[in-house]
Amino acid sequence: MPKTCRITGQTFEPTAQEMSLRKKLAVDGEPDIHPVFRFMLLGAFWQHWNLHKRPCGKTGKPIISVYPEDCPYPVWHKDEWLKHADPPAAKPDFDKPIFPQMWAFFTRSPIAHNIGTANENCEYTDDWWYSKNCYLCHSGYKCEDLRYCYRMIGSRNTQFCVFTFDSERCVDLINCHTCFEVLFSFNCWQCSASAFLYDCRNCSNCMFCCNLRNKQYCFRNEQLTKEEYERVTAEWDFHSRQTYEQGKEDFRRMMEEKSWHRALFIDRSEASTGNYLDECKNCDNCYFMSGGMEDCANVLRAGGGSNDCLDCIGPAFKTELVYLTTNPQDQCYDVRFCYDVVQCKWMEYCAHCYQCEHCFGCCGLVGKKYYIFNKEYTPDEYENQKKKIIAAMQKSGEYGQFFPASFAGTCYEETASGFYWPLSLIEGKKMGFRMREAVPERSSEALDASLVHDRSDKASDEIPQKKFWDHEAQRPFQIQQTDIDFCISVGVPLPWTYYARRLQENFRLIPFNGTTRQTTCAQCKTATATSWPEKYEGRILCEDCYLKLLYCLSSLIKLVSCV
């Protein structure tokens, strides 16, 4: 039966998979919030995109953290936090609302300055793991010599890429796999020595091409000889920013006017809905998930063999039985109403905890068991106290709800939700989110970004000493000698924006807004779900027609002659 979201007023209908998981996870009643707003609330607790210089709250030494100085929590360097985590405790008052009591000691409980481990020379990163020599990067695993990247695995010597895996010497890739020396390309696999490709596989020496398979020396989907290809591509010197920007504009026109788009990217999956799924089974309304996920509903950004997750963001690495939680990672089990918990089990209403079990309403703990409000109890005392606090929260209407949005450690604009679902200051405050009240002031020595030299191979020796100002991002940025050397070597212009803005512009090419919509296949007119926006109407294909397209274009035959 359709329901009305009590926050947004939008109608939605719980699916059978969602209701089945609610029963399995012992979640009472039916949902009263639209799934997209659930994503928005949970995503506001996942800090993204910005790193800040600030002092460590423990030692006073300067650190680089995803949390700014105005973070409501004390922020310690992670090494100090792991060694000295002993946050203040409190005793619950069952006659008063519980969330305000939690907030009072949460804001006195130190948290780690970032997420990640086993890195070498990766100080300017967050959510970064087992990597070496990476700078201004977020969400990556086993990478080396990366700069300005987001959501990377197994890649090397690459810049300004998002959702890119096992690739090397590339720039501006979006959802690409196993590429080498490729520039500004989207949804490509096993490509090399190419630029401005969309949905190509196993192609080399191609430029401005789309939907190709196993091709070489193609320009705008036209087969050329090696000599012809080298002659026509010589006109595109991407050392120049003006030429590179013209290439991006041509690419966007190709996407809208020439390319064919697979309605949904669901591979090796069974009984699953959503988009960008790989190796998933019985997953409903899920997005960006891979690696053996099973029995999930309303989950965003997950992987590594997790299952039985409902209304979550970021469950990863064999995490099970999780409800309404952000970033439960690395073998979490039976976790609900939590955020930023790692290797934790049997947890409720906890935040920033590591290797903890049987905790309720705790923040900033490391290696603890049977704690409530950061205070230790015997197992029997814990169970009795837990029953009392749940009863008090049920009476106040708090139990079953996620934390108030104000508990988030960063402003809404610097979170995953701030990117996917941007809000004005007034809208965000009305919904209870912490919003950025002011933007950084331009420093007097910062030069206008338009003064960055057009060509990387003509850059002056003074550039690394200068600071530039990105008007749109309202942020300063610098161009280091490492950037200049890399840009010259791969043949691209110098960076000309604040790095996070460029990453976000690239990421926006991936169609996602928390849901899918209904459309009709451009060829067979069959109804199909898709995430592509309406500007691509007439170019979206159902799975069967898309596969026919690939067969046709493998011989560079027009689609109309094949269907």
Side-chain angles (χ1 to χ4, degrees):
M1 177 181 297
K3 302 180 70 66
T4 301
C5 175
R6 63 177 174 82
I7 304 294
T8 66
Q10 294 176 287
T11 59
F12 69 99
E13 188 164 359
T15 65
Q17 174 72 345
E18 178 178 346
M19 295 309 297
S20 175
L21 278 170
R22 290 177 75 89
K23 182 177 180 180
K24 185 172 186 177
L25 297 171
V27 178
D28 294 333
E30 295 187 356
D32 60 358
I33 299 177
H34 194 285
V36 172
F37 190 80
R38 290 175 235 169
F39 282 150
M40 289 178 67
L41 178 57
L42 293 169
F45 287 76
W46 193 355
Q47 56 279 353
H48 269 53
W49 307 118
N50 286 284
L51 293 168
H52 304 269
K53 291 183 178 180
R54 55 159 301 147
C56 168
K58 175 67 174 176
T59 66
K61 296 179 180 179
I63 58 174
I64 304 300
S65 174
V66 73
Y67 299 107
E69 284 199 65
D70 64 357
C71 173
Y73 301 83
V75 177
W76 293 5
H77 190 281
K78 181 176 56 192
D79 293 344
E80 298 293 334
W81 179 71
L82 288 172
K83 289 187 293 185
H84 305 294
D86 186 23
K91 185 176 181 180
D93 185 338
F94 304 118
D95 295 323
K96 294 180 179 180
I98 299 300
F99 282 143
Q101 297 181 60
M102 289 184 182
W103 182 242
F105 72 88
F106 271 34
T107 54
R108 294 184 291 119
S109 301
I111 63 175
H113 80 294
N114 70 4
I115 299 173
T117 191
N119 296 311
E120 180 181 344
N121 191 27
C122 296
E123 182 181 5
Y124 288 75
T125 62
D126 181 62
D127 191 18
W128 207 250
W129 308 78
Y130 300 94
S131 298
K132 181 179 179 180
N133 299 333
C134 297
Y135 177 71
L136 290 181
C137 294
H138 306 258
S139 294
Y141 177 71
K142 288 190 175 180
C143 294
E144 188 171 340
D145 297 316
L146 264 58
R147 299 171 71 83
Y148 321 120
C149 290
Y150 171 73
R151 186 65 177 114
M152 308 287 290
I153 297 177
S155 296
R156 298 165 53 105
N157 205 20
T158 286
Q159 293 191 6
F160 295 108
C161 295
V162 297
F163 272 69
T164 296
F165 311 96
D166 302 310
S167 297
E168 186 172 355
R169 286 181 59 79
C170 296
V171 179
D172 288 319
L173 298 191
I174 305 103
N175 193 43
C176 291
H177 300 244
T178 323
C179 292
F180 180 75
E181 293 188 346
V182 176
L183 309 181
F184 204 97
S185 296
F186 179 22
N187 284 351
C188 292
W189 272 253
Q190 292 91 36
C191 293
S192 62
S194 298
F196 296 98
L197 305 184
Y198 169 67
D199 187 29
C200 292
R201 305 285 191 275
N202 194 32
C203 294
S204 64
N205 299 99
C206 293
M207 188 182 294
F208 296 115
C209 293
C210 55
N211 306 123
L212 294 187
R213 300 296 185 267
N214 309 313
K215 290 298 176 182
Q216 187 177 25
Y217 302 122
C218 291
F219 184 83
R220 301 195 191 279
N221 278 35
E222 180 183 356
Q223 182 67 63
L224 304 178
T225 65
K226 180 177 183 293
E227 292 74 18
E228 290 171 334
Y229 178 82
E230 290 176 346
R231 184 172 63 252
V232 70
T233 57
E235 300 175 6
W236 292 86
D237 184 356
F238 294 128
H239 284 98
S240 164
R241 179 170 71 254
Q242 182 177 356
T243 304
Y244 197 78
E245 287 288 273
Q246 181 59 54
K248 290 166 64 175
E249 185 61 33
D250 285 11
F251 177 86
R252 290 187 174 92
R253 279 200 301 271
M254 178 182 74
M255 283 274 295
E256 295 182 22
E257 301 172 6
K258 304 293 184 181
S259 303
W260 296 96
H261 306 286
R262 185 184 180 190
L264 295 171
F265 291 81
I266 300 179
D267 297 296
R268 299 183 291 182
S269 298
E270 178 183 343
S272 297
T273 66
N275 207 355
Y276 286 91
L277 305 179
D278 187 21
E279 291 187 286
C280 295
K281 181 179 180 181
N282 299 330
C283 293
D284 188 43
N285 193 43
C286 294
Y287 303 86
F288 303 112
M289 300 204 330
S290 62
M293 299 291 295
E294 291 191 24
D295 300 318
C296 297
N298 308 327
V299 175
L300 171 63
R301 282 284 305 275
S306 299
N307 57 66
D308 293 319
C309 299
L310 172 64
D311 296 335
C312 294
I313 288 183
F317 304 115
K318 297 182 180 179
T319 286
E320 302 180 34
L321 297 174
V322 180
Y323 173 60
L324 209 60
T325 292
T326 297
N327 281 351
Q329 299 189 50
D330 198 1
Q331 303 177 72
C332 284
Y333 182 84
D334 199 354
V335 170
R336 56 189 67 206
F337 318 117
C338 296
Y339 58 97
D340 288 337
V341 292
V342 179
Q343 295 180 11
C344 290
K345 300 178 180 179
W346 302 290
M347 310 279 284
E348 292 191 54
Y349 288 106
C350 292
H352 304 288
C353 290
Y354 177 57
Q355 291 184 339
C356 295
E357 297 181 9
H358 298 288
C359 294
F360 192 107
C362 294
C363 181
L365 298 184
V366 175
K368 304 298 185 183
K369 294 183 180 181
Y370 298 106
Y371 272 61
I372 293 178
F373 276 30
N374 288 359
K375 184 179 186 301
E376 186 176 14
Y377 293 85
T378 67
D380 288 341
E381 290 173 335
Y382 173 84
E383 293 299 332
N384 290 332
Q385 194 81 342
K386 177 181 172 182
K387 289 178 182 178
K388 291 179 181 179
I389 199 169
I390 289 177
M393 294 181 73
Q394 288 172 331
K395 184 178 179 180
S396 65
E398 294 168 302
Y399 192 75
Q401 306 301 318
F402 193 65
F403 289 99
S406 57
F407 274 60
T410 58
C411 64
Y412 183 82
E413 292 88 344
E414 294 188 10
T415 67
S417 291
F419 170 75
Y420 289 124
W421 302 281
L423 298 172
S424 68
L425 180 64
I426 295 175
E427 290 172 332
K429 284 189 170 183
K430 185 178 180 180
M431 292 181 177
F433 294 111
R434 293 182 57 231
M435 305 298 292
R436 181 187 295 131
E437 296 289 348
V439 297
E441 293 184 5
R442 177 173 175 176
S443 58
S444 58
E445 72 272 17
L447 303 173
D448 193 277
S450 63
L451 297 177
V452 175
H453 201 288
D454 177 69
R455 297 186 61 87
S456 58
D457 54 358
K458 301 295 183 181
S460 67
D461 295 337
E462 293 80 24
I463 282 184
Q465 283 74 52
K466 296 178 179 180
K467 183 184 295 185
F468 296 93
W469 183 259
D470 183 331
H471 284 284
E472 186 169 334
Q474 293 291 299
R475 295 276 186 172
F477 68 96
Q478 288 184 284
I479 303 169
Q480 299 180 5
Q481 188 62 48
T482 302
D483 300 321
I484 298 172
D485 296 341
F486 176 80
C487 290
I488 293 172
S489 71
V490 298
V492 295
L494 298 174
W496 65 95
T497 68
Y498 177 63
Y499 83 100
R501 176 160 79 89
R502 183 162 166 183
L503 288 178
Q504 291 173 352
E505 289 174 352
N506 288 344
F507 199 19
R508 290 192 195 284
L509 285 175
I510 301 176
F512 172 74
N513 64 1
T515 186
T516 59
R517 66 181 183 89
Q518 287 295 308
T519 187
T520 55
C521 173
Q523 289 299 317
C524 70
K525 309 305 178 185
T526 300
T528 182
T530 189
S531 294
W532 290 108
E534 292 184 357
K535 68 179 180 179
Y536 294 109
E537 285 295 329
R539 313 292 307 176
I540 301 169
L541 301 177
C542 70
E543 191 70 8
D544 287 344
C545 290
Y546 176 78
L547 293 175
K548 291 179 183 178
L549 164 79
L550 300 186
Y551 175 78
C552 297
L553 288 184
S554 66
S555 300
L556 293 179
I557 300 173
K558 291 183 178 180
L559 176 66
V560 68
S561 67
C562 304
V563 295

